Amino acid sequence: MNHPGESLHAGTDGLTVSVATLEEWRHVEEWANGEGWNVGLGDVACFHATDPAGFFLARLGTTPVAAISVVNYSDTYSFMGHYLVHPDLRGQGLGLATWEAAFPHAGNRVIGLDAALPQRSNYAKHGFRAVWDTIRYGGVLTRPGRIAEGTVRIGPGHLDAVAAYDRGWCPADRGDFVRRWLTAPGHVGHATVRDGEVTGYGVIRPAQEGHRIGPLFADTPEEAEALLDTLTADLGPGAGLSLDMPEPQTAGGELVRARGLTERFRTVRMYNGEVPWSRAGQAYATTTLELG
């Protein structure tokens, strides 16, 4: 097990890579927002607790210059994110050195990631294969939300059922993360229930700019629309909203475009081994680009 502050790599003109504490990772959040990621306000605490040994910060001397996370969800699945290099220091091998220091943390697990499109070929060199594009939709809602029939506000009594439903949408059981995500300050979750069974759920949270929805999982387009309307019911006129949707989910694209959201940019989901089964490619919104 790696520990915060433990030096893992040295080289590349004095670069060191170590496991980052939660407080250190809050600086990475600021960095990511400077890159236009629009991280949710409470995301970092939920992220870091999932695998505290999986967040890596590279420094030259005492100056942070690069970051990456390799979060192990299970014995078979990991997710890589937060791959950042200071804009003034790119092209000098710092990112690759940080990658090489952090990559072993995943062991023999299959790794998923959402790559910026220009980096697709670089990930391919490391054995990653593209499986779908993910579209960031954003903008100002042009259609007001409403509390839709058949939706329920997620409370303590629903957490286990929602976590069990989430398992079908992720290649690993991430129940502890889901419970943190649903109960984090500012996070509001709603679910659809049919014949006593959870058939969908979604979470809305405040971000640096407006609000973000993620995840939005549903068995049918009708349930997805009910959740989308309910999640946005309390947003005032002119509220900004964004979410990340796998391109294979065509019905979801129609839903959000009808509400005024437009494509802002794309990433590409990639895996470095056999693509693990899940319904992730049919999500109406992924949870986050950073942790899948």
Side-chain angles (χ1 to χ4, degrees):
M1 174 71 72
N2 301 318
H3 300 283
E6 177 186 353
S7 182
L8 302 177
H9 178 92
T12 316
D13 296 326
L15 185 78
T16 60
V17 181
S18 59
V19 176
T21 66
L22 173 59
E23 288 308 310
E24 288 172 327
W25 205 254
R26 295 190 191 280
H27 296 292
V28 177
E29 176 187 28
E30 295 176 6
W31 195 354
N33 281 324
E35 296 285 324
W37 291 16
N38 196 29
V39 179
L41 298 184
D43 289 7
V44 171
C46 294
F47 290 167
H48 195 272
T50 305
D51 181 7
F55 293 80
F56 299 85
L57 192 60
R59 298 178 176 86
L60 287 174
T62 60
T63 303
V65 295
I68 195 169
S69 60
V70 183
V71 172
N72 293 337
Y73 276 118
S74 71
D75 291 339
T76 60
Y77 185 64
S78 183
F79 200 86
M80 181 178 290
H82 296 100
Y83 193 23
L84 290 160
V85 179
H86 192 285
D88 295 338
L89 297 172
R90 291 170 183 165
Q92 301 182 31
L94 301 177
L96 179 59
T98 304
W99 167 293
E100 291 174 344
F103 196 88
H105 180 67
N108 294 322
R109 296 169 177 85
V110 172
I111 303 173
L113 56 83
D114 287 307
L117 295 186
Q119 295 298 321
R120 176 173 174 165
S121 60
N122 288 333
Y123 287 112
K125 294 174 184 176
H126 291 270
F128 284 83
R129 180 166 59 91
V131 291
W132 65 72
D133 281 5
T134 299
I135 303 170
R136 167 69 58 87
Y137 285 102
V140 174
L141 285 175
T142 57
R143 183 189 299 183
R146 60 180 180 83
I147 301 297
E149 184 178 354
T151 63
V152 297
R153 174 76 177 263
I154 297 173
H158 304 110
L159 295 180
D160 288 347
V162 172
Y165 177 77
D166 180 89
R167 179 63 185 87
W169 297 85
C170 181
D173 183 350
R174 57 175 187 173
D176 290 342
F177 169 80
V178 170
R179 292 177 182 88
R180 281 194 301 276
W181 196 250
L182 289 168
T183 57
H187 289 213
V188 176
H190 289 269
T192 51
V193 179
R194 187 182 341 123
D195 298 328
E197 298 291 330
V198 173
T199 57
Y201 87 99
V203 178
I204 190 168
R205 67 197 192 278
Q208 296 295 317
E209 298 179 6
H211 285 74
R212 293 189 59 180
I213 286 178
L216 179 53
F217 302 150
D219 288 354
T220 67
E222 293 76 18
E223 287 162 323
E225 183 168 21
L227 286 167
L228 180 59
D229 282 343
T230 299
L231 290 167
T232 57
D234 291 335
L235 298 186
L241 182 69
S242 63
L243 54 83
D244 300 299
M245 186 182 299
E247 188 176 37
Q249 181 46 264
T250 55
E254 294 173 2
L255 286 178
V256 298
R257 287 192 295 270
R259 287 158 175 77
L261 304 187
T262 59
E263 180 175 335
R264 299 305 174 92
F265 62 81
R266 293 183 178 224
T267 56
V268 56
R269 174 62 63 90
M270 307 182 77
Y271 294 99
N272 73 332
E274 183 177 350
V275 177
W277 180 88
S278 77
R279 300 169 69 186
Q282 290 299 317
Y284 292 83
T286 61
T287 309
T288 76
L289 295 180
E290 296 83 11
L291 261 69

